[in-house]
Amino acid sequence: MQYVGLGALTAVALAVAISGVVELLTGWIHPWERARVMRPVPHGLGQVLTGSSLCLVFGMFAFSPTGDSLRSLMAVGAGLFLTGTILVGVSRLP
């Protein structure tokens, strides 16, 4: 049952990353975010980074690495997530 939940969360994370790629390529923003986003490029890049970090973390939970690789993957995932979240926040500043 754990893998079903991780698969669903990974699918959502992939959807976030794909929507960021679509935003970077076409400039299309979701209708519920159009009023708040002032800069589409940092917003799309932030979505790509946030989605990829969530995919990394969920994949890490599914495969359970041990030792130093776990710490390294956690650090990379946290860094990507923090950077993506900051970019999404910056894209909403006037």
Side-chain angles (χ1 to χ4, degrees):
M1 189 68 181
Q2 171 188 358
Y3 293 115
V4 174
L6 285 173
L9 289 173
T10 303
V12 170
L14 281 174
V16 169
I18 289 171
S19 70
V21 170
V22 167
E23 186 173 341
L24 285 174
L25 293 177
T26 64
W28 183 81
I29 299 174
H30 291 105
W32 56 86
E33 291 182 321
R34 286 186 187 147
R36 293 182 294 218
V37 174
M38 304 291 178
R39 297 174 189 91
V41 173
H43 190 265
L45 189 59
Q47 281 187 331
V48 169
L49 291 176
T50 303
S52 62
S53 72
L54 290 175
C55 284
L56 174 73
V57 170
F58 296 147
M60 185 179 52
F61 286 145
F63 296 111
S64 307
T66 58
D68 289 337
S69 62
L70 178 65
R71 274 191 228 128
S72 300
L73 288 173
M74 286 292 280
V76 169
L80 285 173
F81 188 79
L82 184 63
T83 305
T85 305
I86 288 172
L87 281 173
V88 168
V90 164
S91 72
R92 295 178 180 187
L93 292 175

